[in-house]
Amino acid sequence: MATVSVPRAHWSGRRSTLASIRLAVLTFLADPQWLIPSMIAPIVFGFVSFELFLGTPDLVVYVILGAGMMSMWGQTLYGSGWATGQDRNIGTLEPTLSAPTPYVFVVLGRILWNVVSGLIGIVLVFVVVVVATGTVPSIDNPVAFVVLFVFTMLTLAAVGTVFAAAYVYTRYAGFVQNVGEFAFYIGTGCMFPIVILPFWTNPIALLFPPSWALDALRYASIPGYVGFSWGLGWDIVGGVATTAIYLLIAGIVFKRVERHVLEVGNLQEY
Amino acid sequence: MSSVPAIEARGITRVFQSRKGFFYQDVTRTEALRGVDLTIETGEIFGLLGPNGAGKTTLTKILTTLLLPTSGTARVLGLDVTKDTERLRARIGLVLGGERGLYNRISARENLRYFADLYGVPLAEREKRVNEVLEWVGLTWAADRRTEEYSRGMKQKLHIARGILHRPEVLFLDEPTIGLDPKSARETRKLIRSLLGEGVTIFLTTHYMFEAEELCHRIGVLSRGRLAAVDTVAGLRDLVGGDRTIEAEDYGFEDSELAAVRHLPGVSKVVSEEYGPVTRLTIRVRTGDLTIDTVRQNLIGHGGLQVRERRTSLEDVYLDLVEEEAR
Ligand SMILES: Nc1ncnc2c1ncn2[C@@H]1O[C@H](COP(=O)(O)OP(=O)(O)OP(=O)(O)O)[C@@H](O)[C@H]1O
Ligand SMILES: [Mg+2]
């Protein structure tokens, strides 16, 4: 009996994720000016909220969160899914999927890069607002703020992964996402606390990991903030739990989606 | 040495459903493949010919794990294309070619590095391998240019470089020379042939008969989702009635004359076609006994008669096979 020795594919998820980050950075560096258009809306929003909340303890949170989340939406959520749509458009989805590495690692790399570039955007908005108004807003508890901010971004990244799966699944994901964008801004509370929205929207918002994280962030940075009645601790628990669920869903969905696209045969678009 | 064929397909079918209309209510079913059986041995160059829409790309994608068959099974290197996808992908290469499929804002070198990472080319070997394949396709001089500055031919070479980066045992190429000028096409063919020396099994699709004839050990003719024939060029010539073809031209022939030619010993097939006022008889000849003169003697009284002999071309074979399948 001739036995065929089959060497295992020696791809690694970590290496592929790093490769994906590298590709994203190189693509960004090739045309860094593309960051500017995606920064205009957040900067405008930054100014408006600065005027609105001047002199209130909420100032920093609203300037940074509002503007920041806008840039995060653009970078993390939109960017991650969009890159997959782009892969389909320029015909790189097929060569990428014909490699042994699961596509989810490529997406993960892009999301991580997008989180970083979203941060660059937030810093940019902050600097522009500070320079233009000559006021340096003070942060109540800087350490907690930074930690929870990073946490908020990771919850966003988890949502981004699920979105990216939708982009692999269908060519029409962009349509759904554009419609969902506004609902997302308001529903998750990056513009203002969701507790002031009609009560029925709250349970829906709580399905989104960032809603929990944002509430926690407000608790930590606004003195006397009244958000969800369960308070900071449970906000964090809820954020971690929903994020974990999203990542789990993303993992399962990606496996399914990769199979589904091979069934339908919609990897290319001309 | 293993006796496992490089490619083995049994009863492959593929149906596409595409939807149109506001509510996607109009469903169109396309049977792209209607039962394909195919075995390709290790070390072979196999060429797949077929008209537009015959299913060549569909078959290529199924064999490279990018599309699931609707029914049937296929194994490449002994691995099931629908189940062992991960292990199989590491061992085969795919060149889809064309203007698309590259990251245009970054350099060729960075494109190759990226795919070397996804394919798990050992990191210690990565730079060496990237340089090697760039050198091999003759793109070293342009390695650090953005690929958006590349010409069609350069892109094609880069696609091939990417396809062999991870030293695949089987390489699939879908229309590797389409849109290339004659010189680039010849260089590309040379590259493909040189892979054979390294023991790579090659599966390619093409619309160019001479390309298939020049490169391939065996040729398959796909027509409307079915393999009309699979054989060597010589075998295919035999299949359509011999490797000699005699052509006779004049302003019209009588039916009786046609019948007479058809019944000459050694003639396997006669096709009559009109080219404006001129009628051309294409006579496929199986044996060596029948000569141009015999044909001439049977068409006496044609002042402007022109008779010539040529070798049955692969194109003749192809057109015969595709025609038969379509009937
Ligand atoms: N993703 C798809 N969705 C719907 N129909 C498809 C899809 N891909 C291919 N088809 C159909 O399947 C049939 C075979 O297409 P395929 O691309 O395999 O042909 P081909 O032999 O490669 O043709 P060409 O020589 O033009 O490249 C065609 O009728 C085509 O329209
Ligand atoms: Mg094709």
Side-chain angles (χ1 to χ4, degrees):
Chain A
M1 256 318 280
T3 45
V4 206
S5 78
V6 182
R8 245 194 76 74
H10 34 261
W11 58 268
S12 107
R14 194 174 56 95
R15 183 168 166 203
S16 301
T17 307
L18 288 174
S20 169
I21 294 176
R22 182 189 165 93
L23 176 70
V25 172
L26 287 170
T27 310
F28 169 73
L29 291 179
D31 300 284
Q33 63 275 22
W34 283 108
L35 193 60
I36 296 169
S38 65
M39 284 294 94
I40 289 175
I43 287 174
V44 169
F45 182 84
F47 277 114
V48 171
S49 51
F50 187 87
E51 294 299 326
L52 276 178
F53 296 97
L54 193 65
T56 71
D58 302 2
L59 178 71
V60 179
V61 176
Y62 283 104
V63 173
I64 297 187
L65 282 191
M69 284 307 131
M70 247 171 151
S71 111
M72 288 300 298
W73 171 274
Q75 295 303 317
T76 305
L77 282 179
Y78 197 70
S80 308
W82 181 82
T84 296
Q86 192 69 1
D87 261 343
R88 190 177 253 122
N89 285 332
I90 64 173
T92 41
L93 193 57
E94 282 179 330
T96 308
L97 285 182
S98 61
T101 312
Y103 189 63
V104 67
F105 292 108
V106 171
V107 170
L108 194 65
R110 284 176 185 160
I111 289 180
L112 290 176
W113 159 248
N114 285 334
V115 165
V116 173
S117 72
L119 258 185
I120 298 173
I122 291 171
V123 172
L124 218 71
V125 169
F126 192 66
V127 168
V128 167
V129 170
V130 166
V131 169
T133 61
T135 326
V136 182
S138 66
I139 296 173
D140 216 37
N141 184 346
V143 178
F145 184 84
V146 169
V147 169
L148 286 170
F149 199 85
V150 171
F151 175 58
T152 306
M153 290 195 309
L154 292 178
T155 61
L156 262 169
V159 180
T161 322
V162 176
F163 265 104
Y167 267 90
V168 183
Y169 189 83
T170 163
R171 291 177 285 176
Y172 307 108
F175 169 73
V176 178
Q177 190 163 346
N178 284 332
V179 173
E181 177 171 356
F182 201 63
F184 183 90
Y185 282 149
I186 298 178
T188 58
C190 59
M191 300 280 172
F192 44 79
I194 56 170
V195 285
I196 68 171
L197 286 177
F199 179 73
W200 62 265
T201 62
N202 281 209
I204 296 171
L206 292 181
L207 296 177
F208 278 103
S211 311
W212 298 79
L214 285 162
D215 199 58
L217 191 56
R218 291 207 173 88
Y219 264 118
S221 47
I222 304 171
Y225 173 74
V226 181
F228 296 145
S229 53
W230 46 73
L232 175 65
W234 285 109
D235 267 349
I236 293 175
V237 172
V240 170
T242 46
T243 301
I245 292 170
Y246 266 68
L247 288 177
L248 200 71
I249 292 174
I252 296 167
V253 167
F254 255 102
K255 267 214 122 49
R256 292 265 171 96
V257 161
E258 273 188 52
R259 199 76 187 168
H260 170 85
V261 292
L262 302 188
E263 251 160 49
V264 181
N266 63 351
L267 289 178
Q268 84 289 45
E269 185 172 54
Y270 295 98
Chain B
M1 239 346 259
S2 74
S3 54
V4 178
I7 299 171
E8 201 174 14
R10 292 287 163 261
I12 296 288
T13 71
R14 172 70 213 202
V15 176
F16 287 106
Q17 309 240 18
S18 43
R19 288 166 181 278
K20 276 200 313 254
F22 196 75
F23 297 107
Y24 299 116
Q25 74 279 33
D26 305 328
V27 182
T28 326
R29 262 174 64 93
T30 312
E31 284 184 74
L33 294 174
R34 302 187 295 164
V36 171
D37 295 300
L38 184 63
T39 305
I40 296 170
E41 297 302 333
T42 308
E44 195 179 337
I45 298 194
F46 181 86
L48 190 62
L49 291 172
N52 294 126
K56 300 181 297 296
T57 301
T58 304
L59 184 59
T60 309
K61 285 187 181 168
I62 287 174
L63 294 175
T64 54
T65 77
L66 288 183
L67 192 66
L68 297 178
T70 305
S71 67
T73 56
R75 289 180 171 274
V76 174
L77 297 165
L79 299 170
D80 189 312
V81 296
T82 64
K83 297 193 188 97
D84 296 318
T85 50
E86 198 182 297
R87 282 193 300 179
L88 182 54
R89 284 172 185 175
R91 294 175 60 192
I92 59 175
L94 170 64
V95 178
L96 285 175
E99 297 275 2
R100 300 152 37 80
L102 296 166
Y103 291 101
N104 283 326
R105 300 199 182 286
I106 60 173
S107 68
R109 187 189 300 284
E110 289 296 351
N111 267 284
L112 292 176
R113 277 186 186 142
Y114 177 67
F115 282 97
D117 287 339
L118 295 193
Y119 273 97
V121 173
L123 203 52
E125 205 195 302
R126 187 183 72 180
E127 293 312 298
K128 190 172 143 271
R129 184 62 183 157
V130 166
N131 285 328
E132 220 168 72
V133 296
L134 281 167
E135 184 68 41
W136 182 69
V137 296
L139 282 178
T140 305
W141 63 278
D144 296 303
R145 284 207 203 166
R146 284 188 189 198
T147 56
E148 64 192 356
E149 296 168 23
Y150 271 39
S151 72
R152 181 89 191 232
M154 289 163 78
K155 281 185 183 168
Q156 195 60 35
K157 286 176 183 166
L158 185 55
H159 279 298
I160 295 176
R162 176 174 63 193
I164 58 150
L165 196 52
H166 56 297
R167 301 178 200 278
E169 293 156 64
V170 185
L171 184 65
F172 294 83
L173 304 110
D174 195 12
E175 302 193 30
T177 59
I178 192 170
L180 298 189
D181 68 49
K183 186 166 164 286
S184 309
R186 175 146 23 103
E187 285 168 6
T188 305
R189 282 197 293 276
K190 222 170 111 190
L191 287 176
I192 295 171
R193 202 175 308 109
S194 76
L195 281 172
L196 200 63
E198 299 178 24
V200 183
T201 305
I202 291 164
F203 177 103
L204 63 87
T205 76
T206 181
H207 282 295
Y208 304 119
M209 303 298 145
F210 67 94
E211 182 165 295
E213 193 159 4
E214 190 185 312
L215 279 179
C216 303
H217 300 129
R218 286 194 312 151
I219 288 166
V221 178
L222 195 63
S223 172
R224 298 170 166 217
R226 266 195 251 275
L227 272 172
V230 181
D231 214 325
T232 57
V233 175
L236 289 176
R237 280 204 183 95
D238 239 29
L239 198 67
V240 297
D243 71 345
R244 293 175 60 215
T245 296
I246 294 175
E247 287 177 349
E249 272 179 17
D250 200 3
Y251 300 104
F253 295 101
E254 303 291 331
D255 282 353
S256 58
E257 290 174 325
L258 255 167
V261 170
R262 209 165 252 142
H263 287 106
L264 287 173
V267 168
S268 57
K269 185 173 183 178
V270 179
V271 179
S272 162
E273 288 165 302
E274 314 279 330
Y275 293 93
V278 176
T279 303
R280 179 191 293 167
L281 300 183
T282 304
I283 306 157
R284 197 90 69 229
V285 184
R286 208 182 275 284
T287 64
D289 302 339
L290 187 85
T291 61
I292 288 187
D293 288 337
T294 327
V295 173
R296 240 186 243 290
Q297 281 153 23
N298 280 276
L299 300 170
I300 300 169
H302 284 276
L305 182 70
Q306 292 201 16
V307 188
R308 57 184 170 264
E309 175 169 350
R310 59 179 175 79
R311 200 153 188 247
T312 303
S313 69
L314 185 56
E315 190 165 340
D316 296 323
V317 174
Y318 171 81
L319 291 174
D320 278 7
L321 286 172
V322 170
E323 227 169 65
E324 257 164 45
E325 187 66 24
R327 262 196 305 232

mmCIF file of all heavy atoms in Angstrom, chain B residues 56-57 174-175, ligand 2:
data_model
loop_
_atom_site.group_PDB
_atom_site.id
_atom_site.type_symbol
_atom_site.label_atom_id
_atom_site.label_comp_id
_atom_site.label_asym_id
_atom_site.label_seq_id
_atom_site.Cartn_x
_atom_site.Cartn_y
_atom_site.Cartn_z
ATOM 1 N N LYS B 56 -15.087 26.309 -18.025
ATOM 2 C CA LYS B 56 -13.659 26.122 -17.722
ATOM 3 C C LYS B 56 -13.279 26.743 -16.373
ATOM 4 O O LYS B 56 -12.660 26.097 -15.538
ATOM 5 C CB LYS B 56 -12.787 26.760 -18.832
ATOM 6 C CG LYS B 56 -13.023 26.179 -20.211
ATOM 7 C CD LYS B 56 -12.119 26.826 -21.245
ATOM 8 C CE LYS B 56 -12.361 28.319 -21.439
ATOM 9 N NZ LYS B 56 -13.693 28.651 -21.972
ATOM 10 N N THR B 57 -13.675 27.997 -16.194
ATOM 11 C CA THR B 57 -13.331 28.677 -14.943
ATOM 12 C C THR B 57 -14.040 28.003 -13.772
ATOM 13 O O THR B 57 -13.459 27.821 -12.699
ATOM 14 C CB THR B 57 -13.719 30.171 -15.028
ATOM 15 O OG1 THR B 57 -13.020 30.744 -16.133
ATOM 16 C CG2 THR B 57 -13.354 30.915 -13.766
ATOM 17 N N ASP B 174 -5.812 29.893 -15.185
ATOM 18 C CA ASP B 174 -6.997 30.165 -16.001
ATOM 19 C C ASP B 174 -6.640 31.220 -17.046
ATOM 20 O O ASP B 174 -6.391 32.367 -16.700
ATOM 21 C CB ASP B 174 -8.153 30.644 -15.112
ATOM 22 C CG ASP B 174 -9.499 30.604 -15.833
ATOM 23 O OD1 ASP B 174 -9.575 29.999 -16.929
ATOM 24 O OD2 ASP B 174 -10.474 31.175 -15.311
ATOM 25 N N GLU B 175 -6.586 30.818 -18.287
ATOM 26 C CA GLU B 175 -6.237 31.703 -19.406
ATOM 27 C C GLU B 175 -4.989 32.548 -19.113
ATOM 28 O O GLU B 175 -5.058 33.775 -19.067
ATOM 29 C CB GLU B 175 -7.424 32.609 -19.748
ATOM 30 C CG GLU B 175 -8.657 31.792 -20.096
ATOM 31 C CD GLU B 175 -9.741 32.647 -20.728
ATOM 32 O OE1 GLU B 175 -9.391 33.630 -21.396
ATOM 33 O OE2 GLU B 175 -10.923 32.308 -20.553
HETATM 34 MG MG MG C 2 -13.304 31.545 -17.855
#
